[in-house]
Structures are given as structure tokens and as C-alpha cells.
């Protein structure tokens, strides 16, 4: 037998076994695949004259996605009290991003609020969300970001170890 693979159902198939597969062998492991990518396979029977039969039916398989998203973010260190804070993250994944969430809370409290980060349309990997102004108090704000591709996830900071934003009061000086 010979086994052939393509990344497209109607694409070009290439033989992937390096030696003939013996009669009676009922499985073949393709260990040269990318995580999560769909591949199409067929096999042929090789006769004693070394001529190959017509291809079998096509089967589809994909290796489990073992690659988590890659998340990068320029930390926000400080913000004026009472002003909304925009949080931006860049998220890349080998297959695609399912969701990106921003978790935030007033520093010193226990419960996080969660909002989806939007973006990533087309070829952009940039996601944004806003921490509402009402949360930006003199106590400060803590946050973390989570991204997922549907199977694997990645975080920037965490619930147990969030990023802290120091807040400052804004004064207005009037000159007469």
C-alpha cells in the first residue's frame, strides 16, 4: 500500500510513506502534520508488478490543536480617576481566535467583571475593551486578559496575579 495526503480535498496529493506498507498492516501514523490543520488522505494498493491501483475513497483527519494563542499586551500602569481605560491586546493563533476577554475589578475587591474584547477582523490581531470610568476609583484597578482558540487558552496576568493600575486625581487650575 501507499498513502497519499493533501491539504485540500481536490488538491495535489503526495505520497507520505517512505517504504511500501505491508499487506495486513491496517493503520498508518502520519506524524508530519501541523496541529489543528485538516488533511485529506487516500491509499492505493501496490501489485506484485509494482503498479498502483486507483485511489481509494478520500478520508479527512486533523491533528489535535496543541498550540495555544500567543497574547501580547502593553501594560497600563496608571490612569486618571473617573476616566475609562482602554485595554489593547494583540492575539495570534495558528487556527483562529475564538474569544478574548478582559476581566477587571476595583483593587481590593474579590469579584471580577468580564467584558469581551473586540477586534481581530480580517488580518488584524488587535483586540480592545474598555474598563468603565465608574470602576476607576482612588483604590486603583486590577485586570487580566484571557484568549482562546476553542481548545487552548492563554492569559496575560491572572485572577490570582492581576495587573494593577495606579490611579491619580486630576486637578484643574484656574488662572485669573
Amino acid at each position: 500500500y501507499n498513502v497519499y495526503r493533501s491539504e485540500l480535498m481536490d488538491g495535489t496529493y503526495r505520497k507520505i510513506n517512505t517504504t511500501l506498507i505491508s499487506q495486513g498492516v491496517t493503520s498508518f501514523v502520519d506524524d508530519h502534520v501541523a496541529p489543528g490543520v485538516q488533511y485529506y488522505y487516500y491509499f492505493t494498493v501496490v501489485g506484485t508488478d509494482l503498479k498502483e491501483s486507483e485511489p481509494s475513497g478520500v478520508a479527512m483527519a486533523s491533528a489535535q490543536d496543541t498550540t495555544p494563542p500567543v497574547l501580547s499586551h502593553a501594560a497600563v500602569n496608571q490612569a486618571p480617576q473617573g476616566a475609562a481605560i482602554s485595554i489593547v491586546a494583540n492575539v495570534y493563533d495558528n487556527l483562529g481566535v475564538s474569544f478574548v476577554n478582559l476581566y477587571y475589578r476595583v483593587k481590593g475587591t474579590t469579584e471580577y467583571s468580564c467584558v469581551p474584547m473586540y477586534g481581530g477582523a480580517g488580518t488584524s490581531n488587535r483586540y480592545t475593551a474598555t474598563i468603565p470610568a465608574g470602576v476607576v476609583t482612588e483604590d486603583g484597578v486590577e485586570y487580566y486578559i484571557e484568549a482562546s482558540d476553542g481548545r487552548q487558552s492563554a492569559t496575560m496576568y491572572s485572577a490570582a496575579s492581576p495587573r494593577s493600575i495606579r490611579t491619580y486625581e486630576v486637578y484643574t487650575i484656574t488662572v485669573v
Side-chain angles (χ1 to χ4, degrees):
Y1 299 94
N2 283 322
V3 177
Y4 292 82
R5 178 184 71 208
S6 175
E7 289 187 26
L8 300 171
M9 180 132 172
D10 297 325
T12 302
Y13 285 78
R14 290 185 171 76
K15 185 173 78 161
I16 58 174
N17 52 299
T18 55
T19 60
L20 281 177
I21 300 168
S22 301
Q23 181 180 2
V25 173
T26 58
S27 64
F28 178 83
V29 176
D30 182 5
D31 55 5
H32 298 294
V33 294
V37 175
Q38 282 191 158
Y39 294 98
Y40 298 89
Y41 297 89
Y42 68 72
F43 68 90
T44 61
V45 176
V46 180
T48 55
D49 59 359
L50 298 182
K51 290 186 182 177
E52 292 185 71
S53 69
E54 290 296 314
S56 67
V58 174
M60 186 216 37
S62 61
Q64 185 174 14
D65 183 16
T66 57
T67 306
V70 175
L71 177 60
S72 64
H73 162 70
V76 177
N77 296 312
Q78 60 183 356
Q81 292 174 17
I85 303 170
S86 181
I87 303 293
V88 179
N90 290 303
V91 183
Y92 305 88
D93 188 72
N94 62 323
L95 297 179
V97 176
S98 292
F99 68 83
V100 181
N101 287 331
L102 170 66
Y103 297 85
Y104 63 87
R105 68 182 179 190
V106 173
K107 188 173 183 176
T109 61
T110 56
E111 296 295 317
Y112 283 94
S113 294
C114 175
V115 293
M117 296 184 77
Y118 292 103
T123 58
S124 173
N125 296 309
R126 182 182 165 103
Y127 291 80
T128 62
T130 302
I131 298 174
V135 177
V136 187
T137 67
E138 65 184 58
D139 296 323
V141 178
E142 295 177 321
Y143 73 95
Y144 69 96
I145 302 167
E146 177 187 31
S148 175
D149 63 9
R151 289 191 163 272
Q152 306 286 322
S153 62
T155 58
M156 179 65 65
Y157 315 114
S158 68
S161 185
R163 178 69 189 182
S164 185
I165 301 174
R166 185 176 51 82
T167 60
Y168 56 88
E169 195 169 345
V170 178
Y171 296 97
T172 304
I173 298 174
T174 306
V175 178
V176 205

